[in-house]
Each structure stands twice: as structure tokens, then as C-alpha cells.
DNA sequence: GAGTGGTCTAGACCACAAC
DNA sequence: TTGTGGTCTAGACCACTCC
């Protein structure tokens, strides 16, 4: 069963072990490419390939002209079990803020609001016509000044109120405003995929292309119909999704 | 915002577009490395790097000595909303089988059973001592003859019955046996992470190291205490996790 | 035996950091 | 100015497939 490892793979595993064991601590600089090439007796491109793996794993960060540094073990952002609860909204917190509050990190968002046609995918989820206008809220979300997720929210214009169309939706966020506007939410459906960031996502998330990301689609519904779709892209290395499911 | 793309990145994007657009269909062979190197006027190693990306995305599969082939777009295995329900178990289906039944694919498992000490991580989740013996069930799970996930289940020996210690736990699976044995399940907690397959996982999943995977930990509990922990590794490109959450 | 993908080499160039 | 990481080149070797 044990297949042959490539030399680059072996070196990557070796370095990974050295980092995990603490031989190189957070913030430390790894030996230079030339140094490692000599130590392992391989070409420098082979070292580069090994380091590529560590970078993809988020273990290490290369800074051109300076060195390759062990990344600080940044805390995992655990999605909170109560992040969609009315109690949290009543306390003035939205889903992201609830996660932040539970995890003890500092949240921040940059929001832009626009309108446009729903398009096919969103229309199907919202059960409306693809040409129907929707309110689109783009958010870039930070945890302690690191970009950690992107979210785009779609809401039929027919349902939207003026307070939903401004960047800051106030305490409890969009869901609180929806319930106030006479749309009590009864159900959330979340669909989770994992993949790799493409060039544009990587730029928005301030990482390199190929970084592992979660892609989550949440549909919030009232008893009658879906009212909001939220497409979220999260840095996988920073998140842990948590679901508490009652047996039935 | 638009940062500079490397040449390999550009070529990867170009080929990706050609595949998506249907210029290369499922099962087609891409031009050879030499051919592509000539066409794009780059060294063959640059083509190899570009193809590496497509392979990591699961778009393409390289067969040494033969060629690089566009992979058949295999269906996404959507985790079923009712996969943990008693109704499904009463119909003789476990969680994996329920997903299969809902999605219309054919499930198969290979199971090995052993016992051993819980170890720290599992012990904490099960709320027992790390030295306490647990029943360990290793499963390799197939969908239509492709390995798609690995699962290891941990169960305190104190709770286990003889029927839980054999490879085939019978209709409804382990959870059905647990409930029969007087441990009615009230709650499941799932924690989801995403990452990259290491060398060993890749071998077990019959892919290449670096493939994106879900890592899911499920803790099944009775009203009194946790009774089972299941650590699941799934090929991310084959799965979509679905959660249906009532508002509260 | 010819051709292929997967891997590695030795060397090069560039943009950038550090001095 | 020097050294670094990131990228690419031209060429090579191997195991493998296909003929």
C-alpha cells in the first residue's frame, strides 16, 4: 500500500515534522533555499516544490527577498452553535458577530450594496424569475484584521426595506431586519463544498491561488418561501464549521 | 486588484476554459506535454506545472505512459437531509446508505474491526479516560466502485455488544444497534474542516497527495453522554454537505 | 521500441528585502 | 549591493503504456 514518495514529498514531510515538533517555531525563518538544497543534496527547484506544499497547507509564508517564515498558528474560528439564533440577534449580534463573540476575536466587515437581476442560480434558490431584481450585499469580513471570508447576500427587491439597502443593517443584521419587516425565519439550509481559491478569490482573500476554501450557500426561509441566499467563501485553514443536530 | 499571473497559471486557466467550454470532453486526451510546450512556447516543466493545477482541481487525470485525460464529470454525492433519521434506519439504512439511496448511487463498504485504548483526542470527545478500551471500526466506503470516504468509528467497549463488533452491523447500522441496546440517541454534533490529503490518506482514497478533503467528526450522544465518535475523511470534489437547520 | 507523464537537475532571470 | 524567494528553461532519466 505504501507507495513511493517523491523526493520533494519526503522533504516537505521532513520540514513539516520539524515545524510541528517545534524545531522551527512561529515566526522563525527556514533555512534558505540554497542551504536546504545543499543539506538534502537536491536542486533548488526541488526545495521550491517542497516549500510549495507547506505553503499550500498554510504552514509557511514566503516573502520574496526575505525568507520563508513559519506562520503564527492563528486560532481556528469555530462557527458557533448558536450563530443563527434569535437570542443572539436580540443581543445585537449577527451570525458572523456571534461567531466572533463566541471565539473571542474581533470582527469587521466592509460592505457594498447594489441591485441587479437575480441570475439563474440565485433565482432558482429564491424561487423567483432570473430577471427579477434583487438586492445584492457584498461583504468582505475580517477577523483581527485578517480577511477570512467573503459573503454575497441576495434578497428579492420586493422584500427589501430601505434599512436593508444600506451598508450597516444595524443590530442583529439583515436577519433581524427581515423578521421586523414581517418575515419570520423558520429555516436555514446550508450547503457546504470545499475547493481551491481561484485567482480572483485568492486576491480578495489576500492569499495565493489554490488555497483551500469552504464554499457555503445558505438559504433562509420563512414558512412560505425562501427570502435570502447567502454565498460565502471562507478560508478553510481558519474555520471549523459546527453543526448541532437533534436526533429525529 | 488584478495581480500578475504566472505563465503556468495562465496556461492552466486557458486549458481549464477549454475543458469547461467542451473543447475537450470527458475522456478526451489532452495534447501531449511536448505538443503543449510548443504551442504555448514554454518549457515542458511549465506545462507540467499547469497540468498539476488541473489535476489538483480534479479536472484531469494523468496516466504515465499514456496521456492526460479529462475526467468524467462524476456526480456530486449530496449528503442527505435525513441521513441520520430513525425512519431511514427503520428502513434498514445507515447514514451512508441513506445518502446513496437518496442520490441514486451504489454504496459499498469494507470494514475492519479492532479494539484499543481511546487515546487523548477520542477520550475527550467520549468523556472517558484515554486508557479506556474502545471498539474501533475502520471503514473504506465506495460509491459506484470509487473510494469516496474513509471513516473510523470509536465506541466505548463498556457499551459495545457483540453485534457491534462484527464487520456487518446489520440493517440500520451501528446507530440502530445502539438504540436497540438501550442507548437512544438524542443528538449529533458534526464538526467540519477542509484540508489536503496527506500521503497516506491519498493512498487510501486512491488519489494523489494534496487532493482537497473534508474532515468531519461526528459525536453521537444519548441524553446522558456521548456514545460514539466517527472521524470521516471525504473526497471534497465528490461531496456536498447539506444541513437543514430549524430557526430558533 | 517509441512515446508518454512524472520527476529532477543545473542554471538562469526577476522583483524585492535587507543592509 | 547582496541575497532571497518565485519562476522558468533546456535537458535528462525513469517507469509506464501502447504498439
Amino acid at each position: 500500500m505504501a507507495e513511493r514518495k517523491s523526493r520533494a514529498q519526503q522533504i516537505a514531510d521532513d520540514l513539516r515534522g520539524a515545524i510541528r515538533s517545534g524545531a522551527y517555531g512561529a515566526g522563525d525563518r527556514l533555512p534558505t533555499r540554497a542551504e536546504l538544497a545543499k543539506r538534502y543534496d537536491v536542486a533548488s527547484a526541488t526545495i521550491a516544490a517542497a516549500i510549495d506544499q507547506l505553503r499550500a497547507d498554510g504552514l509557511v509564508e514566503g516573502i520574496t527577498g526575505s525568507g520563508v517564515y513559519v506562520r503564527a498558528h492563528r486560532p481556528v474560528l469555530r462557527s458557533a452553535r448558536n450563530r443563527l439564533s434569535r437570542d443572539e440577534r436580540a443581543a445585537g449580534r449577527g451570525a458572523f458577530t456571534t461567531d466572533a463573540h463566541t471565539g473571542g476575536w474581533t470582527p469587521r466587515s466592509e460592505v457594498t450594496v447594489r441591485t441587479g437581476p437575480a441570475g439563474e442560480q440565485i433565482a432558482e434558490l429564491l424561487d423567483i424569475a432570473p430577471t427579477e431584481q434583487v438586492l445584492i450585499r457584498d461583504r468582505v469580513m475580517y477577523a483581527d484584521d485578517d480577511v477570512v471570508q467573503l459573503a454575497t447576500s441576495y434578497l428579492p427587491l420586493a422584500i427589501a426595506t430601505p434599512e436593508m439597502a444600506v451598508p450597516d443593517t444595524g443590530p442583529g443584521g439583515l436577519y433581524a431586519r427581515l423578521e421586523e419587516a414581517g418575515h419570520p425565519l423558520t429555516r436555514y439550509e446550508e450547503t457546504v463544498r470545499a475547493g481551491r481559491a481561484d485567482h480572483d478569490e485568492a486576491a480578495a482573500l489576500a492569499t495565493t491561488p489554490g488555497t483551500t476554501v469552504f464554499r457555503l450557500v445558505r438559504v433562509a426561509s420563512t414558512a412560505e418561501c425562501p427570502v435570502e441566499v447567502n454565498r460565502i467563501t471562507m478560508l478553510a485553514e481558519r474555520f471549523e464549521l459546527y453543526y448541532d443536530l437533534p436526533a429525529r
Side-chain angles (χ1 to χ4, degrees), chain A residues 127-246:
Chain A
D127 199 16
I128 59 175
T131 52
E132 186 170 332
Q133 290 287 307
V134 291
L135 184 70
I136 304 172
R137 302 177 50 86
D138 274 308
R139 301 172 72 188
V140 180
M141 293 143 110
Y142 297 77
D144 298 335
D145 297 325
D146 299 325
V147 189
V148 292
Q149 73 176 45
L150 313 170
T152 306
S153 174
Y154 303 85
L155 184 78
L157 257 194
I159 290 180
T161 63
E163 342 168 67
M164 301 179 196
V166 295
D168 185 356
T169 49
L174 187 59
Y175 292 159
R177 298 296 84 72
L178 273 168
E179 300 215 308
E180 287 169 6
H183 304 287
L185 302 173
T186 57
R187 180 187 189 188
Y188 306 96
E189 291 169 278
E190 295 196 349
T191 300
V192 185
R193 297 266 242 146
R196 302 166 117 84
D198 63 26
H199 190 264
D200 295 338
E201 286 174 323
L205 287 166
T207 35
T208 50
T211 304
T212 305
V213 292
F214 280 117
R215 297 204 177 87
L216 191 154
V217 176
R218 178 162 62 228
V219 180
S221 302
T222 65
E224 288 79 36
C225 61
V227 290
E228 190 241 16
V229 170
N230 202 347
R231 305 185 60 153
I232 307 177
T233 303
M234 325 165 76
L235 277 182
E237 66 197 36
R238 298 298 302 275
F239 280 94
E240 186 174 83
L241 308 179
Y242 175 82
Y243 294 95
D244 190 0
L245 312 165

Side-chain angles (χ1 to χ4, degrees), chain A residues 19-213:
Chain A
I19 291 170
R20 293 255 159 83
S21 78
Y24 300 112
D28 287 359
R29 206 188 75 166
L30 294 191
T32 70
R33 206 168 58 175
E35 165 70 21
L36 289 172
K38 199 168 122 191
R39 180 183 309 178
Y40 287 104
D41 191 27
V42 295
S44 96
T46 304
I47 297 295
I51 301 246
D52 263 357
Q53 291 190 29
L54 302 187
R55 228 178 354 150
D57 287 341
L59 259 182
V60 119
E61 179 184 20
I63 299 179
T64 302
S66 174
V68 176
Y69 298 86
V70 177
R71 283 184 32 180
H73 176 262
R74 284 181 282 184
V76 170
L77 311 176
R78 186 172 213 240
S79 72
R81 145 195 197 179
N82 53 349
R83 72 187 189 282
L84 298 172
S85 79
R86 290 201 180 86
D87 287 350
E88 288 297 326
R89 287 206 289 278
R93 293 189 275 270
F96 186 67
T97 317
T98 297
D99 283 347
H101 185 253
T102 308
W105 39 279
T106 306
R108 186 165 62 85
S109 294
E110 288 165 4
V111 187
T112 58
V113 184
R114 59 198 166 94
T115 60
E120 283 198 18
Q121 290 183 2
I122 300 300
E124 188 176 338
L125 292 171
L126 283 175
D127 199 16
I128 59 175
T131 52
E132 186 170 332
Q133 290 287 307
V134 291
L135 184 70
I136 304 172
R137 302 177 50 86
D138 274 308
R139 301 172 72 188
V140 180
M141 293 143 110
Y142 297 77
D144 298 335
D145 297 325
D146 299 325
V147 189
V148 292
Q149 73 176 45
L150 313 170
T152 306
S153 174
Y154 303 85
L155 184 78
L157 257 194
I159 290 180
T161 63
E163 342 168 67
M164 301 179 196
V166 295
D168 185 356
T169 49
L174 187 59
Y175 292 159
R177 298 296 84 72
L178 273 168
E179 300 215 308
E180 287 169 6
H183 304 287
L185 302 173
T186 57
R187 180 187 189 188
Y188 306 96
E189 291 169 278
E190 295 196 349
T191 300
V192 185
R193 297 266 242 146
R196 302 166 117 84
D198 63 26
H199 190 264
D200 295 338
E201 286 174 323
L205 287 166
T207 35
T208 50
T211 304
T212 305
V213 292

